[in-house]
């Protein structure tokens, strides 16, 4: 179930989910987390800042790989009407990926505190993203002195909020529309976790169709013709059998003598 947002969120989900785009986001985050936690060790002196910067960089690379853009050489795995249409669409130097009218930027958050993000303390680019139009938010009518960065008319910029812990290994991944919460209010217009319950089966993984038999239960039976032996053939067979039996008997008698 999608948390908040109403019809606009359901429309977003209906456009992105069937293409496998959301599953691609989750795949990239999972792979990036495993790479980072396997490479960095707190016992060796790596601190949270090291994990944070590295996780961001590796996630960017993994997203390029999954969607076949940027420096990645692998072809995209998306299916459906948007197949192959994921492009890199950075915003003021902030890495971004766009499918159709939806662009996704990255934001690493403290594990368990995704709803505590203060967008008014983020970069000017993230603040501008949090000021996007959203029906029913009276704050957007206020003049907050921020520059509008509507660089691509018609594009909705979402944020992929990601986090993880290494001991124990746990991951958090959310997609949402940020809200500029200078008023101390909510940090998101809507926010949706990307997990098994919200995503369901991956549409990129097509099941192999079973091989169908050459016929089915509704097909007519294959005609089979039985040929009866003629009387002459039957008599000839009986005569031959009788002759063989007599010859065998004579042989036994001769042996006995």
């Amino acid at each position: 179930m999608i948390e908040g947002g109403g019809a606009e969120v359901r429309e977003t989900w209906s456009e992105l989910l069937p293409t496998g785009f959301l599953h691609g986001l989750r795949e990239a985050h999972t792979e990036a987390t495993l790479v980072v936690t396997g490479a960095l060790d707190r016992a060796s002196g790596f601190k949270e800042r090291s994990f944070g910067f590295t996780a961001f960089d590796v996630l960017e690379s993994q997203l390029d790989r999954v969607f076949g853009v940027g420096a990645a050489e692998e072809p995209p795995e998306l299916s459906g009407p948007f197949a192959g249409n994921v492009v890199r669409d950075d915003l003021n130097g902030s890495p971004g990926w766009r499918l159709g009218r939806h662009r996704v930027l990255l934001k690493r958050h403290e594990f368990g505190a995704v709803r505590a993000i203060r967008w008014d303390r983020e970069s000017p680019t993230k603040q501008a993203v949090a000021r996007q139009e959203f029906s029913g938010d009276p704050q957007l009518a206020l003049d907050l002195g921020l520059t509008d960065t509507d660089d691509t008319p018609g594009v909705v910029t979402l944020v992929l909020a990601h986090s993880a812990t290494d001991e124990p290994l746990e991951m958090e991944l959310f997609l949402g529309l940020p809200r500029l919460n200078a008023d101390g209010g909510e940090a998101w217009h809507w926010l949706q976790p990307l997990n098994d319950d919200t995503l369901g089966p991956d549409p990129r993984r097509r099941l192999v169709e079973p091989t169908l038999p050459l016929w089915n239960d509704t097909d007519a039976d294959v005609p089979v013709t039985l040929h009866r032996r003629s009387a002459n053939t039957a008599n000839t067979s009986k005569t031959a059998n009788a002759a063989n039996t007599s010859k065998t008997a004579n042989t036994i008698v001769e042996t006995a003598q």
Side-chain angles (χ1 to χ4, degrees):
M1 180 178 294
I2 298 175
E3 303 178 24
E8 295 184 33
V9 186
R10 290 191 293 271
E11 182 179 354
T12 298
W13 230 246
S14 67
E15 293 179 13
L16 298 181
L17 184 61
T19 67
F21 181 76
L22 301 179
H23 293 79
L25 297 178
R26 187 189 183 200
E27 175 189 336
H29 179 244
T30 300
E31 292 298 322
T33 301
L34 295 178
V35 168
V36 173
T37 56
L40 304 185
D41 183 8
R42 294 186 187 276
S44 299
F46 291 102
K47 299 184 181 299
E48 185 61 31
R49 183 174 60 180
S50 301
F51 280 86
F53 282 119
T54 307
F56 191 97
D57 289 342
V58 176
L59 178 55
E60 178 183 354
S61 299
Q62 288 294 330
L63 286 167
D64 282 347
R65 176 192 64 81
V66 168
F67 296 132
V69 297
E73 297 179 355
E74 296 185 16
E77 298 178 352
L78 296 183
S79 61
F82 299 114
N85 287 340
V86 176
V87 297
R88 275 297 294 259
D89 191 9
D90 299 353
L91 179 60
N92 297 334
S94 182
W97 296 261
R98 180 166 56 82
L99 175 62
R101 65 186 184 94
H102 294 98
R103 173 172 52 198
V104 173
L105 304 183
L106 304 179
K107 173 68 176 97
R108 180 174 171 83
H109 64 275
E110 182 181 350
F111 191 86
V114 67
R115 291 175 176 81
I117 297 175
R118 289 294 302 267
W119 296 107
D120 56 315
R121 299 175 183 174
E122 293 291 328
S123 67
T125 297
K126 292 289 176 37
Q127 291 185 46
V129 170
R131 290 190 69 239
Q132 293 177 100
E133 293 184 2
F134 188 78
S135 60
D137 188 353
Q139 180 188 222
L140 296 181
L142 302 178
D143 183 6
L144 301 178
L146 297 176
T147 302
D148 189 4
T149 59
D150 188 12
D151 64 316
T152 311
V155 170
V156 178
T157 301
L158 307 176
V159 172
L160 184 69
H162 59 99
S163 186
T165 61
D166 53 326
E167 296 179 359
L169 180 59
E170 295 183 87
M171 306 180 202
E172 284 187 344
L173 190 65
F174 298 86
L175 185 67
L177 180 64
R179 174 185 179 274
L180 190 64
N181 49 349
D183 59 354
E186 297 291 334
W188 302 89
H189 290 297
W190 60 265
L191 184 68
Q192 177 76 335
L194 301 186
N195 53 37
D196 290 339
D197 293 335
T198 60
L199 297 182
D202 190 339
R204 300 173 302 163
R205 310 290 188 252
R206 300 297 184 185
L207 296 178
V208 178
E209 294 292 338
T211 303
L212 297 178
L214 298 179
W215 62 87
N216 55 45
D217 294 338
T218 61
D219 291 337
D221 294 336
V222 178
V224 178
T225 302
L226 300 178
H227 298 280
R228 299 176 61 85
R229 291 189 300 175
S230 64
N232 291 336
T233 302
N235 291 334
T236 300
S237 177
K238 289 180 180 179
T239 301
N241 290 338
N244 290 335
T245 300
S246 176
K247 183 177 180 179
T248 301
N250 292 336
T251 302
I252 294 174
V253 171
E254 292 176 358
T255 303
Q257 292 176 348

